[in-house]
Amino acid sequence: MTAQRRISELAIGTIPILMLLGLWWYLTAFKVAPPTLLPSPGLVFARFFTLLGDQTFLTHAAITLYRLFCGFGLAVIAGVGLGIAGAGSTLFGALLRPVIRVLAPVPKIALYPAFILTLGFDHSSKVALVFADAVFPILLATYQGALSVEPKLVWSARAMGVSRLKALFTVVLTAALPSILTGCRIGLVISCIVVFLSEMISSTDGLGQLLVRAARNFQTVDMFVPIIAISVLGLLLNAGFNLLRARLLRGFPEES
């Protein structure tokens, strides 16, 4: 992808964000929504930039990121490993497909009370929820991407003396990388949403808990700050992931 195309896509992508901010400003400037319920974007962003220098706020943000990365990292390891194994083994694939069909549609938030009872209120239950939600898009993308790899590539590697296991994790994994990274990107977005939601439900720290705490005290400006923070973190993580993806897929036809 050329630099000019990237700049063009970035410029186009900012339009809906600017429209949303414009609508927000309109609703507050013309008193369509009460200021006690919807503060102006100027007040919210001013408070956000002020809190960027507050150690307590940064600690809460760091806790949220820690839970997000732990859950997402485990989901990548499990999703990619199981997906490649399912595509490489007929027996394992036959065992894996019914599990995916049964568990993938289940709302993982319904499992959160069980996670809390078994893992407690600290990091573990939230990491488990992030993992449970993020693993399936990664697993499905890996499995389908591995199945779509041209069999001749594997046959050629096997004919050259490469073992079946090595061919699976070199030829198949490499060829399925675009699909795997697409699943990882979806899983990362889901992880941002789920970690915030889990902190809103039961936590004493994290950005989600800051939102709940501000809402209980009717501090509407402080209530919107965590939403802005998780949105900014999501944009930064997505941008970083896109850079990593472009680097890993350098030389692939669809990336040229």
Side-chain angles (χ1 to χ4, degrees), residues 1-39:
M1 185 184 296
T2 63
Q4 184 177 3
R5 182 180 172 186
R6 288 177 180 172
I7 294 173
S8 176
E9 288 183 354
L10 181 62
I12 294 173
T14 58
I15 293 175
I17 297 176
L18 293 175
M19 291 177 63
L20 183 62
L21 290 174
L23 176 62
W24 184 3
W25 174 85
Y26 173 83
L27 292 175
T28 56
F30 291 92
K31 310 298 182 185
V32 178
T36 53
L37 297 179
L38 184 66

Side-chain angles (χ1 to χ4, degrees), residues 66-208:
Y66 171 76
R67 292 164 175 164
L68 187 154
F69 282 127
C70 285
F72 175 69
L74 292 172
V76 171
I77 294 171
V80 173
L82 291 173
I84 292 294
S89 170
T90 304
L91 176 60
F92 190 77
L95 294 173
L96 187 64
R97 285 191 295 273
V99 175
I100 295 175
R101 293 190 188 106
V102 171
L103 294 182
V106 175
K108 310 307 179 296
I109 193 65
L111 303 174
Y112 193 44
F115 290 153
I116 292 174
L117 290 174
T118 55
L119 301 174
F121 287 90
D122 206 2
H123 298 308
S124 299
S125 58
K126 295 161 186 62
V127 170
L129 184 63
V130 172
F131 168 81
D133 258 303
V135 70
F136 284 101
I138 300 172
L139 171 57
L140 287 168
T142 303
Y143 182 66
Q144 293 299 326
L147 285 179
S148 63
V149 173
E150 179 60 50
K152 292 180 181 178
L153 295 175
V154 181
W155 297 340
S156 299
R158 295 283 287 146
M160 295 174 63
V162 178
S163 67
R164 181 180 178 85
L165 184 62
K166 188 175 181 180
L168 193 63
F169 283 95
T170 54
V171 178
V172 176
L173 182 62
T174 302
L177 195 57
S179 179
I180 293 172
L181 292 176
T182 298
C184 289
R185 185 179 181 183
I186 296 171
L188 182 59
V189 173
I190 293 174
S191 298
C192 290
I193 298 170
V194 172
V195 71
F196 195 78
L197 181 61
S198 68
E199 291 174 347
M200 289 178 62
I201 296 173
S202 67
S203 184
T204 57
D205 45 27
L207 293 175

